[in-house]
Amino acid sequence: HTRFNPPKGILLTGASGTGKTLLARALAGELGLTLITVDQPSLLSKWVGESEKGLREVFKRAKQASPCILFFDEIESLVPARSVQEAGSLFPRLVSQLFRELDDLHGSLGVVVLAATNRPDLMEPALLRAGRFDYVLELPLPTRDERREILGIHTEGLPLEDDVDLGEIAEATGGWTGADLELVCKKAAILALEEFRGRPSEPFRVALRHLREAQAQVKTMK
């Protein structure tokens, strides 16, 4: 029998709002594993030499919490490509430290390293070498049917008018992310609530017009 060695690191790519961070949380929840999210702003704000020490502590904590998932969100901010690193910056030392930590895991400590980026072009390509982030998973934009399903999830529990057609909103939001659709539903609920406060004698209901207006508002923000 061939022994299966799980990937040491998994890189999630895709546009902002496609659910990379949500997937990391869901994966940890489904597997019953501790999720350790790296506080990158804190790491990057440390004095010279302290950032590398902080990174060592992150991996030490992960090993102690094993089995667990160690999650680096927006990995490109921590490990930028050499071409965009500023002269004299701490990044070369930090990148080297991260590579050492990844190379020292050996995949046998029960630590799965998960990272996410929506700008792989700004990320150090050496991260993708074998033994580091062995597996790249791209999260695509949702299809029409998937958008309809996402809208259904985020309107669940809301009192919807009979005229609400989520398929219509799904059809009109091609190229939108799950985060965009969630915002549409939240804004529609707020619009309906504001209308209800002005006319408290009428029942609180979210109508198609609220969703359409919310969609138009989100579209102007994109």
Side-chain angles (χ1 to χ4, degrees):
H1 295 284
T2 301
R3 183 182 176 185
F4 171 69
N5 291 316
K8 195 179 298 184
I10 301 170
L11 179 67
L12 305 176
T13 67
S16 179
T18 47
K20 298 183 293 297
T21 302
L22 187 63
L23 179 58
R25 293 173 183 160
L27 183 62
E30 284 292 319
L31 297 177
L33 299 178
T34 299
L35 178 67
I36 299 174
T37 301
V38 180
D39 183 5
Q40 292 175 201
S42 177
L43 272 180
L44 295 174
S45 67
K46 294 180 181 294
W47 296 99
V48 174
E50 289 297 306
S51 292
E52 298 99 289
K53 180 181 177 182
L55 196 54
R56 285 196 299 271
E57 289 299 317
V58 163
F59 276 85
K60 180 180 178 181
R61 180 185 167 202
K63 291 171 185 176
Q64 292 171 341
S66 171
C68 69
I69 295 174
L70 181 59
F71 181 52
F72 292 85
D73 203 359
E74 299 181 350
I75 188 72
E76 77 283 352
S77 67
L78 188 68
V79 191
R82 292 184 180 91
S83 58
V84 298
Q85 292 178 16
E86 297 178 5
S89 72
L90 60 83
F91 287 114
R93 295 189 302 276
L94 203 52
V95 171
S96 296
Q97 183 65 43
L98 178 61
F99 288 171
R100 280 195 294 271
E101 297 293 345
L102 289 171
D103 296 343
D104 286 345
L105 276 182
H106 300 303
S108 60
L109 289 166
V111 178
V112 175
V113 185
L114 202 60
T117 181
N118 60 339
R119 291 298 305 272
D121 55 311
L122 298 181
M123 187 186 74
E124 173 50 50
L127 267 178
L128 300 177
R129 287 182 186 165
R132 291 171 184 168
F133 287 92
D134 308 275
Y135 189 78
V136 179
L137 177 64
E138 181 177 2
L139 274 62
L141 293 169
T143 63
R144 181 198 177 281
D145 288 344
E146 289 167 343
R147 292 194 300 274
R148 169 66 179 78
E149 188 174 350
I150 291 168
L151 289 165
I153 290 170
H154 291 298
T155 55
E156 188 175 356
L158 288 177
L160 301 178
E161 282 283 11
D162 293 339
D163 69 341
V164 169
D165 181 0
L166 296 180
E168 176 187 320
I169 304 299
E171 187 70 44
T173 49
W176 289 35
T177 67
D180 294 331
L181 299 172
E182 180 182 5
L183 186 56
V184 167
C185 296
K186 287 181 177 178
K187 283 186 173 292
I190 291 171
L191 289 169
L193 183 59
E194 290 174 345
E195 189 175 291
F196 170 72
R197 284 174 175 169
R199 294 181 293 182
S201 59
E202 296 184 11
F204 169 61
R205 307 281 285 179
V206 177
L208 182 60
R209 68 179 183 278
H210 299 129
L211 285 161
R212 285 173 174 167
E213 185 176 344
Q215 177 198 334
Q217 289 182 12
V218 174
K219 186 175 182 178
T220 64
M221 299 164 56
K222 287 176 62 64

